[in-house]
Amino acid sequence: MGKKPEVLRHLVLLAACLTLGAALGTAAPCLAKGRLFVIVAKSESDGNFIRVFDAARAEAEAHGDRVILTGGKGKAHFRIQDEAIREVLRHHPDGLAVSVLHSSFLAENSFKLVRAAGIPVVTFDSDFTAPYRSLRAGYIGTDNVELGRELARQAQRLRPRGGMVAIMTGGLDDTNLNDRIQGVREQFGFDKPGSAWTLLPQSPIPCRDNYVQALNQLEALLDDPAVDVIVSVGWWAQMADGYASLIRRYRRGLSRGEKVLVFAGAHARQRELFAKRLSHVNIGLDFEEMGRLAYRYLATLADGKAIPEVTYTPMMIFSQDCLYAPAR
């Protein structure tokens, strides 16, 4: 009889844990020890952010800490990300790693609460824009401007005679994507006197993270005789189910250099497409390293120590001239 209050207490704790799990998903902490850190993705459904989370969680568990993933499921939206941050603050995390969707909106909303709570913050993959960088201790990820320059350099190598460039993007407010676009513009030098390169007036063309829409946009660009180079600063069209069959229809012209097709990203699916000669260039980002460093830096900040303001992770370049498939 004397043990009933103790049993009841454990049942109450278990019920609270299940409620938290319903709110935050299966990655929610349950009666665990150690510090709690949070990966705030643009979308929890995005495979790249799952890669970041898995790497961060493995690193944290090896040190007796916990990492959970939030940011909202489905299509990325800055309001959903902001609400996810507000929700996770209820659980008093020891640090946040955020891939920023909309700098000013976060700064004027959920980050007022983050600052008031004194929670350490790093950004990864997508940083705050310059006016808001005091909101984080450091940035981890690709040098996105340099990634944009490298996308353009690879296109220039494959088509040195110049031409019309189309730029494809996800959302127009994404800091990291806009940085990549800046790099593309700088390297091509569209506005320089005597430049051999011009920018398609509709660029950048946003798909709002919709793979099917991106594929339809790509088809229109492949059909447009004025377009010579297509630079996608992300993976969207390549993640659509119909990408391979679309590119096979245009493979002869692509192999003759009539058009050049360049993508940011080297996800396993993208590398498979590249191996099948269905793109000229893929430039990959190291999301696993972002995850490992996100945990390590948040743990360092939680210990009251300093971290580097900027840590760039490496890029992986896959490039090929000819898209003809080998004879079978």
Side-chain angles (χ1 to χ4, degrees), residues 248-265:
R248 288 190 180 102
R249 286 166 38 202
Y250 295 89
R251 181 178 251 154
R252 186 176 297 275
L254 290 167
S255 294
R256 290 197 298 257
E258 294 172 4
K259 292 185 191 288
V260 173
L261 198 52
V262 179
F263 289 91

Side-chain angles (χ1 to χ4, degrees), residues 271-317:
R271 294 197 304 273
E272 181 182 347
L273 293 168
F274 179 86
K276 293 178 179 178
R277 299 184 181 273
L278 296 174
S279 65
H280 288 105
V281 177
N282 281 88
I283 301 182
L285 290 67
D286 194 338
F287 287 100
E288 285 76 17
E289 183 66 2
M290 291 183 209
R292 288 187 288 268
L293 289 175
Y295 165 72
R296 291 174 193 167
Y297 283 2
L298 286 177
T300 299
L301 291 169
D303 289 337
K305 300 175 184 178
I307 63 168
E309 184 177 357
V310 175
T311 301
Y312 289 134
T313 52
M315 294 184 287
M316 300 164 286
I317 300 173

Side-chain angles (χ1 to χ4, degrees), residues 138-279:
Y139 165 74
I140 305 156
T142 307
D143 181 342
N144 283 297
V145 175
E146 182 58 26
L147 172 57
R149 293 191 191 109
E150 190 59 42
L151 290 167
R153 285 190 202 106
Q154 291 295 322
Q156 289 172 320
R157 182 184 64 80
L158 293 169
R159 188 185 171 87
R161 61 187 180 275
M164 176 78 76
V165 179
I167 302 174
M168 303 179 68
T169 190
L172 296 176
D173 294 320
D174 291 61
T175 306
N176 61 332
L177 303 182
N178 289 338
D179 284 347
R180 294 175 196 176
I181 292 167
Q182 176 188 333
V184 172
R185 289 176 178 271
E186 289 177 0
Q187 182 63 32
F188 278 118
F190 298 120
D191 299 325
K192 292 180 180 178
S195 173
W197 300 96
T198 56
L199 180 64
L200 184 72
Q202 298 95 309
S203 296
I205 303 167
C207 69
R208 305 293 181 186
D209 296 327
N210 185 308
Y211 298 162
V212 174
Q213 183 176 344
L215 189 68
N216 291 336
Q217 291 167 342
L218 177 60
E219 183 175 15
L221 294 172
L222 289 168
D223 279 334
D224 188 341
V227 174
D228 302 299
V229 173
I230 302 169
V231 177
S232 177
V233 297
W235 66 354
W236 308 282
Q238 289 194 304
M239 301 305 286
D241 289 339
Y243 175 84
S245 60
L246 173 67
I247 298 305
R248 288 190 180 102
R249 286 166 38 202
Y250 295 89
R251 181 178 251 154
R252 186 176 297 275
L254 290 167
S255 294
R256 290 197 298 257
E258 294 172 4
K259 292 185 191 288
V260 173
L261 198 52
V262 179
F263 289 91
H267 181 270
R269 178 185 176 95
Q270 292 176 286
R271 294 197 304 273
E272 181 182 347
L273 293 168
F274 179 86
K276 293 178 179 178
R277 299 184 181 273
L278 296 174
S279 65

